[in-house]
PDB file of all heavy atoms in Angstrom:
ATOM      1  N   CYS P 458       3.152   4.897 -12.236  1.00  0.00           N
ATOM      2  CA  CYS P 458       2.799   4.617 -10.852  1.00  0.00           C
ATOM      3  C   CYS P 458       3.795   3.711 -10.191  1.00  0.00           C
ATOM      4  O   CYS P 458       4.052   2.653 -10.789  1.00  0.00           O
ATOM      5  CB  CYS P 458       1.407   3.969 -10.711  1.00  0.00           C
ATOM      6  SG  CYS P 458       0.039   5.133 -11.234  1.00  0.00           S
ATOM      7  N   VAL P 459       4.221   4.146  -8.960  1.00  0.00           N
ATOM      8  CA  VAL P 459       4.969   3.152  -8.143  1.00  0.00           C
ATOM      9  C   VAL P 459       4.090   2.836  -6.966  1.00  0.00           C
ATOM     10  O   VAL P 459       3.527   3.847  -6.277  1.00  0.00           O
ATOM     11  CB  VAL P 459       6.273   3.803  -7.636  1.00  0.00           C
ATOM     12  CG1 VAL P 459       7.108   2.810  -6.760  1.00  0.00           C
ATOM     13  CG2 VAL P 459       7.150   4.218  -8.960  1.00  0.00           C
ATOM     14  N   PHE P 460       3.883   1.638  -6.566  1.00  0.00           N
ATOM     15  CA  PHE P 460       2.931   1.320  -5.573  1.00  0.00           C
ATOM     16  C   PHE P 460       3.623   1.289  -4.169  1.00  0.00           C
ATOM     17  O   PHE P 460       4.628   0.477  -3.862  1.00  0.00           O
ATOM     18  CB  PHE P 460       2.280  -0.002  -5.842  1.00  0.00           C
ATOM     19  CG  PHE P 460       1.400   0.076  -7.007  1.00  0.00           C
ATOM     20  CD1 PHE P 460       1.847   0.084  -8.321  1.00  0.00           C
ATOM     21  CD2 PHE P 460      -0.004   0.342  -6.836  1.00  0.00           C
ATOM     22  CE1 PHE P 460       1.000   0.200  -9.371  1.00  0.00           C
ATOM     23  CE2 PHE P 460      -0.857   0.433  -7.900  1.00  0.00           C
ATOM     24  CZ  PHE P 460      -0.361   0.411  -9.141  1.00  0.00           C
ATOM     25  N   GLY P 461       3.216   2.143  -3.236  1.00  0.00           N
ATOM     26  CA  GLY P 461       3.857   2.366  -1.978  1.00  0.00           C
ATOM     27  C   GLY P 461       3.849   1.171  -1.015  1.00  0.00           C
ATOM     28  O   GLY P 461       4.759   0.779  -0.331  1.00  0.00           O
ATOM     29  N   HIS P 462       2.486   0.632  -0.860  1.00  0.00           N
ATOM     30  CA  HIS P 462       2.387  -0.473   0.101  1.00  0.00           C
ATOM     31  C   HIS P 462       1.196  -1.272  -0.188  1.00  0.00           C
ATOM     32  O   HIS P 462       0.313  -0.889  -0.839  1.00  0.00           O
ATOM     33  CB  HIS P 462       2.401   0.144   1.468  1.00  0.00           C
ATOM     34  CG  HIS P 462       0.947   0.768   1.774  1.00  0.00           C
ATOM     35  ND1 HIS P 462       0.166   0.364   2.820  1.00  0.00           N
ATOM     36  CD2 HIS P 462       0.320   1.749   1.294  1.00  0.00           C
ATOM     37  CE1 HIS P 462      -0.975   1.030   2.938  1.00  0.00           C
ATOM     38  NE2 HIS P 462      -0.894   1.953   1.948  1.00  0.00           N
ATOM     39  N   THR P 463       1.044  -2.467   0.544  1.00  0.00           N
ATOM     40  CA  THR P 463      -0.083  -3.268   0.586  1.00  0.00           C
ATOM     41  C   THR P 463      -0.877  -3.000   1.835  1.00  0.00           C
ATOM     42  O   THR P 463      -0.355  -3.108   2.956  1.00  0.00           O
ATOM     43  CB  THR P 463       0.291  -4.727   0.622  1.00  0.00           C
ATOM     44  OG1 THR P 463       1.049  -5.101  -0.490  1.00  0.00           O
ATOM     45  CG2 THR P 463      -0.951  -5.605   0.589  1.00  0.00           C
ATOM     46  N   SER P 464      -2.152  -2.483   1.618  1.00  0.00           N
ATOM     47  CA  SER P 464      -2.943  -2.148   2.840  1.00  0.00           C
ATOM     48  C   SER P 464      -3.364  -3.492   3.646  1.00  0.00           C
ATOM     49  O   SER P 464      -3.489  -4.489   2.998  1.00  0.00           O
ATOM     50  CB  SER P 464      -4.114  -1.353   2.318  1.00  0.00           C
ATOM     51  OG  SER P 464      -5.117  -1.227   3.335  1.00  0.00           O
ATOM     52  N   GLY P 465      -3.730  -3.167   4.930  1.00  0.00           N
ATOM     53  CA  GLY P 465      -4.296  -4.268   5.649  1.00  0.00           C
ATOM     54  C   GLY P 465      -5.771  -4.538   5.266  1.00  0.00           C
ATOM     55  O   GLY P 465      -6.364  -5.417   5.674  1.00  0.00           O
ATOM     56  N   GLU P 466      -6.389  -3.684   4.309  1.00  0.00           N
ATOM     57  CA  GLU P 466      -7.846  -3.905   3.896  1.00  0.00           C
ATOM     58  C   GLU P 466      -7.706  -5.106   2.813  1.00  0.00           C
ATOM     59  O   GLU P 466      -6.955  -5.016   1.868  1.00  0.00           O
ATOM     60  CB  GLU P 466      -8.313  -2.625   3.257  1.00  0.00           C
ATOM     61  CG  GLU P 466      -8.848  -1.571   4.236  1.00  0.00           C
ATOM     62  CD  GLU P 466     -10.109  -1.933   4.808  1.00  0.00           C
ATOM     63  OE1 GLU P 466     -11.058  -2.256   4.022  1.00  0.00           O
ATOM     64  OE2 GLU P 466     -10.253  -1.883   6.040  1.00  0.00           O
ATOM     65  N   GLN P 467      -8.624  -6.026   3.015  1.00  0.00           N
ATOM     66  CA  GLN P 467      -8.524  -7.279   2.184  1.00  0.00           C
ATOM     67  C   GLN P 467      -8.748  -7.035   0.624  1.00  0.00           C
ATOM     68  O   GLN P 467      -7.999  -7.551  -0.096  1.00  0.00           O
ATOM     69  CB  GLN P 467      -9.581  -8.239   2.593  1.00  0.00           C
ATOM     70  CG  GLN P 467     -11.009  -7.687   2.348  1.00  0.00           C
ATOM     71  CD  GLN P 467     -12.012  -8.936   2.040  1.00  0.00           C
ATOM     72  OE1 GLN P 467     -11.432 -10.024   1.495  1.00  0.00           O
ATOM     73  NE2 GLN P 467     -13.229  -8.670   2.010  1.00  0.00           N
ATOM     74  N   GLY P 468      -9.479  -5.914   0.353  1.00  0.00           N
ATOM     75  CA  GLY P 468      -9.775  -5.571  -0.986  1.00  0.00           C
ATOM     76  C   GLY P 468      -8.524  -4.944  -1.678  1.00  0.00           C
ATOM     77  O   GLY P 468      -8.376  -5.201  -2.913  1.00  0.00           O
ATOM     78  N   HIS P 469      -7.695  -4.356  -1.020  1.00  0.00           N
ATOM     79  CA  HIS P 469      -6.522  -3.769  -1.565  1.00  0.00           C
ATOM     80  C   HIS P 469      -5.491  -4.774  -2.255  1.00  0.00           C
ATOM     81  O   HIS P 469      -5.105  -4.478  -3.363  1.00  0.00           O
ATOM     82  CB  HIS P 469      -5.694  -2.810  -0.580  1.00  0.00           C
ATOM     83  CG  HIS P 469      -4.744  -2.002  -1.252  1.00  0.00           C
ATOM     84  ND1 HIS P 469      -3.413  -1.925  -0.795  1.00  0.00           N
ATOM     85  CD2 HIS P 469      -4.822  -1.201  -2.331  1.00  0.00           C
ATOM     86  CE1 HIS P 469      -2.727  -0.999  -1.544  1.00  0.00           C
ATOM     87  NE2 HIS P 469      -3.487  -0.607  -2.487  1.00  0.00           N
ATOM     88  N   GLN P 470      -5.390  -5.922  -1.548  1.00  0.00           N
ATOM     89  CA  GLN P 470      -4.583  -6.885  -2.158  1.00  0.00           C
ATOM     90  C   GLN P 470      -5.111  -7.442  -3.418  1.00  0.00           C
ATOM     91  O   GLN P 470      -4.394  -7.734  -4.503  1.00  0.00           O
ATOM     92  CB  GLN P 470      -4.367  -8.031  -1.135  1.00  0.00           C
ATOM     93  CG  GLN P 470      -3.749  -7.583   0.169  1.00  0.00           C
ATOM     94  CD  GLN P 470      -3.805  -8.638   1.260  1.00  0.00           C
ATOM     95  OE1 GLN P 470      -3.821  -9.787   0.992  1.00  0.00           O
ATOM     96  NE2 GLN P 470      -3.976  -8.040   2.418  1.00  0.00           N
ATOM     97  N   LYS P 471      -6.357  -7.552  -3.557  1.00  0.00           N
ATOM     98  CA  LYS P 471      -7.172  -7.952  -4.823  1.00  0.00           C
ATOM     99  C   LYS P 471      -6.861  -6.859  -5.936  1.00  0.00           C
ATOM    100  O   LYS P 471      -6.746  -7.128  -7.003  1.00  0.00           O
ATOM    101  CB  LYS P 471      -8.526  -8.304  -4.623  1.00  0.00           C
ATOM    102  CG  LYS P 471      -8.839  -9.398  -3.611  1.00  0.00           C
ATOM    103  CD  LYS P 471     -10.320  -9.534  -3.538  1.00  0.00           C
ATOM    104  CE  LYS P 471     -10.509 -10.768  -2.676  1.00  0.00           C
ATOM    105  NZ  LYS P 471     -10.222 -10.569  -1.167  1.00  0.00           N
ATOM    106  N   MET P 472      -6.955  -5.618  -5.486  1.00  0.00           N
ATOM    107  CA  MET P 472      -6.691  -4.471  -6.376  1.00  0.00           C
ATOM    108  C   MET P 472      -5.387  -4.617  -6.990  1.00  0.00           C
ATOM    109  O   MET P 472      -5.092  -4.493  -8.207  1.00  0.00           O
ATOM    110  CB  MET P 472      -6.990  -3.122  -5.804  1.00  0.00           C
ATOM    111  CG  MET P 472      -8.279  -2.772  -5.418  1.00  0.00           C
ATOM    112  SD  MET P 472      -8.077  -1.137  -4.504  1.00  0.00           S
ATOM    113  CE  MET P 472      -9.919  -0.768  -4.372  1.00  0.00           C
ATOM    114  N   LEU P 473      -4.344  -4.865  -6.197  1.00  0.00           N
ATOM    115  CA  LEU P 473      -2.893  -4.843  -6.610  1.00  0.00           C
ATOM    116  C   LEU P 473      -2.761  -6.098  -7.472  1.00  0.00           C
ATOM    117  O   LEU P 473      -1.952  -5.943  -8.557  1.00  0.00           O
ATOM    118  CB  LEU P 473      -2.033  -4.917  -5.347  1.00  0.00           C
ATOM    119  CG  LEU P 473      -2.031  -3.759  -4.474  1.00  0.00           C
ATOM    120  CD1 LEU P 473      -1.266  -4.076  -3.204  1.00  0.00           C
ATOM    121  CD2 LEU P 473      -1.332  -2.534  -5.201  1.00  0.00           C
ATOM    122  N   SER P 474      -3.311  -7.159  -7.261  1.00  0.00           N
ATOM    123  CA  SER P 474      -3.229  -8.268  -8.068  1.00  0.00           C
ATOM    124  C   SER P 474      -3.780  -8.012  -9.495  1.00  0.00           C
ATOM    125  O   SER P 474      -3.226  -8.351 -10.487  1.00  0.00           O
ATOM    126  CB  SER P 474      -3.962  -9.520  -7.481  1.00  0.00           C
ATOM    127  OG  SER P 474      -3.892 -10.658  -8.326  1.00  0.00           O
ATOM    128  N   HIS P 475      -5.065  -7.348  -9.490  1.00  0.00           N
ATOM    129  CA  HIS P 475      -5.537  -6.970 -10.805  1.00  0.00           C
ATOM    130  C   HIS P 475      -4.731  -6.030 -11.666  1.00  0.00           C
ATOM    131  O   HIS P 475      -4.732  -6.107 -12.778  1.00  0.00           O
ATOM    132  CB  HIS P 475      -6.901  -6.245 -10.502  1.00  0.00           C
ATOM    133  CG  HIS P 475      -7.629  -5.675 -11.790  1.00  0.00           C
ATOM    134  ND1 HIS P 475      -8.281  -6.435 -12.634  1.00  0.00           N
ATOM    135  CD2 HIS P 475      -7.612  -4.425 -12.188  1.00  0.00           C
ATOM    136  CE1 HIS P 475      -8.725  -5.716 -13.517  1.00  0.00           C
ATOM    137  NE2 HIS P 475      -8.377  -4.450 -13.317  1.00  0.00           N
ATOM    138  N   LEU P 476      -3.959  -5.231 -10.876  1.00  0.00           N
ATOM    139  CA  LEU P 476      -3.122  -4.227 -11.683  1.00  0.00           C
ATOM    140  C   LEU P 476      -1.652  -4.662 -11.825  1.00  0.00           C
ATOM    141  O   LEU P 476      -0.807  -4.004 -12.398  1.00  0.00           O
ATOM    142  CB  LEU P 476      -3.060  -2.787 -10.802  1.00  0.00           C
ATOM    143  CG  LEU P 476      -4.342  -2.144 -10.693  1.00  0.00           C
ATOM    144  CD1 LEU P 476      -4.254  -1.055  -9.562  1.00  0.00           C
ATOM    145  CD2 LEU P 476      -4.764  -1.504 -12.008  1.00  0.00           C
ATOM    146  N   ASN P 477      -1.453  -6.055 -11.412  1.00  0.00           N
ATOM    147  CA  ASN P 477      -0.054  -6.609 -11.638  1.00  0.00           C
ATOM    148  C   ASN P 477       0.885  -5.775 -10.943  1.00  0.00           C
ATOM    149  O   ASN P 477       2.065  -5.577 -11.442  1.00  0.00           O
ATOM    150  CB  ASN P 477       0.180  -6.813 -13.070  1.00  0.00           C
ATOM    151  CG  ASN P 477      -0.671  -7.791 -13.788  1.00  0.00           C
ATOM    152  OD1 ASN P 477      -0.940  -8.883 -13.225  1.00  0.00           O
ATOM    153  ND2 ASN P 477      -1.001  -7.530 -14.953  1.00  0.00           N
ATOM    154  N   ALA P 478       0.552  -5.248  -9.725  1.00  0.00           N
ATOM    155  CA  ALA P 478       1.424  -4.332  -9.015  1.00  0.00           C
ATOM    156  C   ALA P 478       2.218  -4.987  -7.948  1.00  0.00           C
ATOM    157  O   ALA P 478       1.675  -5.855  -7.117  1.00  0.00           O
ATOM    158  CB  ALA P 478       0.639  -3.278  -8.408  1.00  0.00           C
ATOM    159  N   THR P 479       3.451  -4.674  -7.779  1.00  0.00           N
ATOM    160  CA  THR P 479       4.313  -5.051  -6.650  1.00  0.00           C
ATOM    161  C   THR P 479       4.623  -3.906  -5.685  1.00  0.00           C
ATOM    162  O   THR P 479       5.306  -3.020  -6.078  1.00  0.00           O
ATOM    163  CB  THR P 479       5.652  -5.708  -7.115  1.00  0.00           C
ATOM    164  OG1 THR P 479       5.415  -6.770  -8.152  1.00  0.00           O
ATOM    165  CG2 THR P 479       6.437  -6.195  -6.057  1.00  0.00           C
ATOM    166  N   PRO P 480       3.950  -3.782  -4.591  1.00  0.00           N
ATOM    167  CA  PRO P 480       4.177  -2.707  -3.722  1.00  0.00           C
ATOM    168  C   PRO P 480       5.648  -2.735  -2.935  1.00  0.00           C
ATOM    169  O   PRO P 480       6.202  -3.937  -2.877  1.00  0.00           O
ATOM    170  CB  PRO P 480       3.100  -2.840  -2.628  1.00  0.00           C
ATOM    171  CG  PRO P 480       2.690  -4.216  -2.769  1.00  0.00           C
ATOM    172  CD  PRO P 480       2.940  -4.837  -4.074  1.00  0.00           C
ATOM    173  N   ILE P 481       6.010  -1.685  -2.599  1.00  0.00           N
ATOM    174  CA  ILE P 481       7.317  -1.544  -1.746  1.00  0.00           C
ATOM    175  C   ILE P 481       7.197  -2.160  -0.466  1.00  0.00           C
ATOM    176  O   ILE P 481       8.069  -2.943  -0.001  1.00  0.00           O
ATOM    177  CB  ILE P 481       7.759  -0.115  -1.836  1.00  0.00           C
ATOM    178  CG1 ILE P 481       8.019   0.422  -3.184  1.00  0.00           C
ATOM    179  CG2 ILE P 481       9.106   0.034  -0.995  1.00  0.00           C
ATOM    180  CD1 ILE P 481       8.286   1.935  -3.289  1.00  0.00           C
ATOM    181  N   LEU P 482       6.167  -1.741   0.291  1.00  0.00           N
ATOM    182  CA  LEU P 482       6.034  -2.080   1.702  1.00  0.00           C
ATOM    183  C   LEU P 482       4.812  -2.935   1.912  1.00  0.00           C
ATOM    184  O   LEU P 482       3.945  -2.901   1.286  1.00  0.00           O
ATOM    185  CB  LEU P 482       5.928  -0.800   2.597  1.00  0.00           C
ATOM    186  CG  LEU P 482       6.917   0.188   2.419  1.00  0.00           C
ATOM    187  CD1 LEU P 482       6.641   1.402   3.229  1.00  0.00           C
ATOM    188  CD2 LEU P 482       8.285  -0.292   3.016  1.00  0.00           C
ATOM    189  N   ASN P 483       4.908  -3.854   3.021  1.00  0.00           N
ATOM    190  CA  ASN P 483       3.788  -4.685   3.427  1.00  0.00           C
ATOM    191  C   ASN P 483       3.902  -4.666   4.831  1.00  0.00           C
ATOM    192  O   ASN P 483       4.496  -5.621   5.548  1.00  0.00           O
ATOM    193  CB  ASN P 483       3.749  -6.009   2.897  1.00  0.00           C
ATOM    194  CG  ASN P 483       2.438  -6.755   3.246  1.00  0.00           C
ATOM    195  OD1 ASN P 483       1.648  -6.270   3.958  1.00  0.00           O
ATOM    196  ND2 ASN P 483       2.272  -7.913   2.568  1.00  0.00           N
ATOM    197  N   ILE P 484       3.467  -3.657   5.665  1.00  0.00           N
ATOM    198  CA  ILE P 484       3.606  -3.573   7.039  1.00  0.00           C
ATOM    199  C   ILE P 484       2.212  -3.329   7.849  1.00  0.00           C
ATOM    200  O   ILE P 484       2.274  -2.782   9.015  1.00  0.00           O
ATOM    201  CB  ILE P 484       4.586  -2.393   7.419  1.00  0.00           C
ATOM    202  CG1 ILE P 484       4.173  -1.078   6.840  1.00  0.00           C
ATOM    203  CG2 ILE P 484       5.940  -2.787   7.119  1.00  0.00           C
ATOM    204  CD1 ILE P 484       4.976   0.076   7.319  1.00  0.00           C
ATOM    205  N   GLY P 485       1.203  -3.808   7.159  1.00  0.00           N
ATOM    206  CA  GLY P 485      -0.126  -3.792   7.931  1.00  0.00           C
ATOM    207  C   GLY P 485      -0.783  -2.505   8.062  1.00  0.00           C
ATOM    208  O   GLY P 485      -1.712  -2.328   8.866  1.00  0.00           O
ATOM    209  N   LEU P 486      -0.408  -1.435   7.210  1.00  0.00           N
ATOM    210  CA  LEU P 486      -1.024  -0.082   7.328  1.00  0.00           C
ATOM    211  C   LEU P 486      -2.440  -0.222   6.805  1.00  0.00           C
ATOM    212  O   LEU P 486      -2.767  -0.894   5.871  1.00  0.00           O
ATOM    213  CB  LEU P 486      -0.233   0.925   6.565  1.00  0.00           C
ATOM    214  CG  LEU P 486       1.095   1.230   6.848  1.00  0.00           C
ATOM    215  CD1 LEU P 486       1.739   2.197   5.806  1.00  0.00           C
ATOM    216  CD2 LEU P 486       1.172   1.870   8.281  1.00  0.00           C
ATOM    217  N   ARG P 487      -3.325   0.464   7.521  1.00  0.00           N
ATOM    218  CA  ARG P 487      -4.734   0.668   6.942  1.00  0.00           C
ATOM    219  C   ARG P 487      -5.296   1.982   7.413  1.00  0.00           C
ATOM    220  O   ARG P 487      -6.442   2.133   7.731  1.00  0.00           O
ATOM    221  CB  ARG P 487      -5.629  -0.456   7.151  1.00  0.00           C
ATOM    222  CG  ARG P 487      -5.917  -0.861   8.627  1.00  0.00           C
ATOM    223  CD  ARG P 487      -6.877  -1.996   8.790  1.00  0.00           C
ATOM    224  NE  ARG P 487      -7.166  -2.327  10.105  1.00  0.00           N
ATOM    225  CZ  ARG P 487      -8.026  -1.710  10.880  1.00  0.00           C
ATOM    226  NH1 ARG P 487      -8.726  -0.778  10.376  1.00  0.00           N
ATOM    227  NH2 ARG P 487      -8.275  -2.148  12.213  1.00  0.00           N
ATOM    228  N   LEU P 488      -4.470   3.021   7.489  1.00  0.00           N
ATOM    229  CA  LEU P 488      -4.904   4.315   8.023  1.00  0.00           C
ATOM    230  C   LEU P 488      -5.321   5.189   6.947  1.00  0.00           C
ATOM    231  O   LEU P 488      -6.218   6.114   7.231  1.00  0.00           O
ATOM    232  CB  LEU P 488      -3.589   4.973   8.743  1.00  0.00           C
ATOM    233  CG  LEU P 488      -3.831   6.386   9.276  1.00  0.00           C
ATOM    234  CD1 LEU P 488      -5.092   6.393  10.345  1.00  0.00           C
ATOM    235  CD2 LEU P 488      -2.486   6.870  10.021  1.00  0.00           C
ATOM    236  N   GLY P 489      -4.765   5.128   5.679  1.00  0.00           N
ATOM    237  CA  GLY P 489      -5.041   6.193   4.802  1.00  0.00           C
ATOM    238  C   GLY P 489      -4.137   7.378   4.998  1.00  0.00           C
ATOM    239  O   GLY P 489      -3.034   7.282   5.512  1.00  0.00           O
ATOM    240  N   GLU P 490      -4.675   8.610   4.629  1.00  0.00           N
ATOM    241  CA  GLU P 490      -4.033   9.740   4.844  1.00  0.00           C
ATOM    242  C   GLU P 490      -2.709   9.994   3.774  1.00  0.00           C
ATOM    243  O   GLU P 490      -2.108  10.988   3.815  1.00  0.00           O
ATOM    244  CB  GLU P 490      -3.440  10.086   6.185  1.00  0.00           C
ATOM    245  CG  GLU P 490      -4.581  10.093   7.301  1.00  0.00           C
ATOM    246  CD  GLU P 490      -4.149  10.177   8.629  1.00  0.00           C
ATOM    247  OE1 GLU P 490      -2.909  10.585   8.761  1.00  0.00           O
ATOM    248  OE2 GLU P 490      -4.853  10.181   9.538  1.00  0.00           O
ATOM    249  N   GLY P 491      -2.453   8.974   3.046  1.00  0.00           N
ATOM    250  CA  GLY P 491      -1.230   9.009   2.199  1.00  0.00           C
ATOM    251  C   GLY P 491       0.052   8.510   3.020  1.00  0.00           C
ATOM    252  O   GLY P 491       1.285   8.607   2.599  1.00  0.00           O
ATOM    253  N   THR P 492      -0.234   7.851   4.147  1.00  0.00           N
ATOM    254  CA  THR P 492       0.770   7.402   5.044  1.00  0.00           C
ATOM    255  C   THR P 492       1.751   6.321   4.361  1.00  0.00           C
ATOM    256  O   THR P 492       2.989   6.389   4.589  1.00  0.00           O
ATOM    257  CB  THR P 492       0.352   6.831   6.361  1.00  0.00           C
ATOM    258  OG1 THR P 492      -0.779   5.847   6.104  1.00  0.00           O
ATOM    259  CG2 THR P 492      -0.199   7.990   7.270  1.00  0.00           C
ATOM    260  N   GLY P 493       1.160   5.405   3.561  1.00  0.00           N
ATOM    261  CA  GLY P 493       1.986   4.478   2.986  1.00  0.00           C
ATOM    262  C   GLY P 493       2.848   4.967   1.836  1.00  0.00           C
ATOM    263  O   GLY P 493       3.982   4.624   1.713  1.00  0.00           O
ATOM    264  N   ALA P 494       2.367   6.166   1.094  1.00  0.00           N
ATOM    265  CA  ALA P 494       3.044   6.686   0.111  1.00  0.00           C
ATOM    266  C   ALA P 494       4.252   7.476   0.732  1.00  0.00           C
ATOM    267  O   ALA P 494       5.412   7.531   0.325  1.00  0.00           O
ATOM    268  CB  ALA P 494       2.150   7.709  -0.679  1.00  0.00           C
ATOM    269  N   ALA P 495       4.042   8.139   1.930  1.00  0.00           N
ATOM    270  CA  ALA P 495       5.021   8.957   2.672  1.00  0.00           C
ATOM    271  C   ALA P 495       6.122   7.974   3.131  1.00  0.00           C
ATOM    272  O   ALA P 495       7.310   8.412   3.025  1.00  0.00           O
ATOM    273  CB  ALA P 495       4.386   9.703   3.807  1.00  0.00           C
ATOM    274  N   LEU P 496       5.656   6.852   3.653  1.00  0.00           N
ATOM    275  CA  LEU P 496       6.699   5.881   4.108  1.00  0.00           C
ATOM    276  C   LEU P 496       7.523   5.417   3.051  1.00  0.00           C
ATOM    277  O   LEU P 496       8.765   5.053   3.215  1.00  0.00           O
ATOM    278  CB  LEU P 496       6.055   4.793   4.991  1.00  0.00           C
ATOM    279  CG  LEU P 496       5.668   4.978   6.325  1.00  0.00           C
ATOM    280  CD1 LEU P 496       4.815   3.980   6.879  1.00  0.00           C
ATOM    281  CD2 LEU P 496       7.012   5.195   7.143  1.00  0.00           C
ATOM    282  N   ALA P 497       6.996   5.212   1.769  1.00  0.00           N
ATOM    283  CA  ALA P 497       7.755   4.643   0.771  1.00  0.00           C
ATOM    284  C   ALA P 497       8.601   5.592  -0.001  1.00  0.00           C
ATOM    285  O   ALA P 497       9.448   5.264  -0.804  1.00  0.00           O
ATOM    286  CB  ALA P 497       6.865   3.907  -0.165  1.00  0.00           C
ATOM    287  N   MET P 498       8.412   6.911   0.137  1.00  0.00           N
ATOM    288  CA  MET P 498       9.090   7.904  -0.588  1.00  0.00           C
ATOM    289  C   MET P 498      10.634   7.896  -0.472  1.00  0.00           C
ATOM    290  O   MET P 498      11.271   8.006  -1.370  1.00  0.00           O
ATOM    291  CB  MET P 498       8.524   9.305  -0.230  1.00  0.00           C
ATOM    292  CG  MET P 498       9.035  10.352  -1.166  1.00  0.00           C
ATOM    293  SD  MET P 498       8.174  10.367  -2.740  1.00  0.00           S
ATOM    294  CE  MET P 498       6.538  11.149  -2.433  1.00  0.00           C
ATOM    295  N   PRO P 499      11.175   7.558   0.848  1.00  0.00           N
ATOM    296  CA  PRO P 499      12.641   7.411   0.923  1.00  0.00           C
ATOM    297  C   PRO P 499      13.263   6.238  -0.014  1.00  0.00           C
ATOM    298  O   PRO P 499      14.275   6.450  -0.349  1.00  0.00           O
ATOM    299  CB  PRO P 499      12.835   7.115   2.344  1.00  0.00           C
ATOM    300  CG  PRO P 499      11.680   7.757   3.092  1.00  0.00           C
ATOM    301  CD  PRO P 499      10.586   7.595   2.178  1.00  0.00           C
ATOM    302  N   VAL P 500      12.440   5.370  -0.186  1.00  0.00           N
ATOM    303  CA  VAL P 500      12.887   4.208  -0.992  1.00  0.00           C
ATOM    304  C   VAL P 500      13.060   4.754  -2.511  1.00  0.00           C
ATOM    305  O   VAL P 500      14.037   4.403  -3.250  1.00  0.00           O
ATOM    306  CB  VAL P 500      11.937   2.988  -1.078  1.00  0.00           C
ATOM    307  CG1 VAL P 500      12.414   1.911  -2.077  1.00  0.00           C
ATOM    308  CG2 VAL P 500      11.855   2.463   0.285  1.00  0.00           C
ATOM    309  N   ILE P 501      12.148   5.570  -3.017  1.00  0.00           N
ATOM    310  CA  ILE P 501      12.233   6.172  -4.269  1.00  0.00           C
ATOM    311  C   ILE P 501      13.502   7.096  -4.384  1.00  0.00           C
ATOM    312  O   ILE P 501      14.225   7.055  -5.344  1.00  0.00           O
ATOM    313  CB  ILE P 501      11.069   7.052  -4.613  1.00  0.00           C
ATOM    314  CG1 ILE P 501       9.701   6.306  -4.456  1.00  0.00           C
ATOM    315  CG2 ILE P 501      11.047   7.701  -6.014  1.00  0.00           C
ATOM    316  CD1 ILE P 501       9.518   5.074  -5.269  1.00  0.00           C
ATOM    317  N   LYS P 502      13.765   7.909  -3.355  1.00  0.00           N
ATOM    318  CA  LYS P 502      14.900   8.717  -3.268  1.00  0.00           C
ATOM    319  C   LYS P 502      16.095   7.817  -3.306  1.00  0.00           C
ATOM    320  O   LYS P 502      17.166   8.172  -4.060  1.00  0.00           O
ATOM    321  CB  LYS P 502      14.934   9.579  -2.028  1.00  0.00           C
ATOM    322  CG  LYS P 502      13.877  10.577  -2.015  1.00  0.00           C
ATOM    323  CD  LYS P 502      13.957  11.446  -0.636  1.00  0.00           C
ATOM    324  CE  LYS P 502      12.760  12.366  -0.544  1.00  0.00           C
ATOM    325  NZ  LYS P 502      12.872  13.160   0.748  1.00  0.00           N
ATOM    326  N   ALA P 503      16.145   6.758  -2.531  1.00  0.00           N
ATOM    327  CA  ALA P 503      17.304   5.947  -2.525  1.00  0.00           C
ATOM    328  C   ALA P 503      17.653   5.241  -3.817  1.00  0.00           C
ATOM    329  O   ALA P 503      18.742   5.130  -4.222  1.00  0.00           O
ATOM    330  CB  ALA P 503      17.081   4.944  -1.445  1.00  0.00           C
TER     331      ALA P 503
END
């Protein structure tokens, strides 16, 4: 797992902390749909 982003939902930040995860992006997204993963995918390619 590579973590795409930190959601604007307060609970997500606690989940990431529990999983010792460092996400790529933190831009206030809370839409879902896979949008954070899609935005982070170019970083994986790079």
Side-chain angles (χ1 to χ4, degrees):
C458 292
V459 180
F460 291 81
H462 78 118
T463 301
S464 169
E466 282 286 310
Q467 65 144 344
H469 192 225
Q470 297 166 37
K471 297 180 178 70
M472 289 176 172
L473 293 171
S474 177
H475 173 78
L476 295 169
N477 295 314
T479 303
I481 296 170
L482 303 173
N483 187 356
I484 54 176
L486 297 175
R487 56 178 184 84
L488 176 60
E490 301 179 9
T492 49
L496 275 169
M498 193 73 79
V500 179
I501 308 296
K502 293 180 182 178

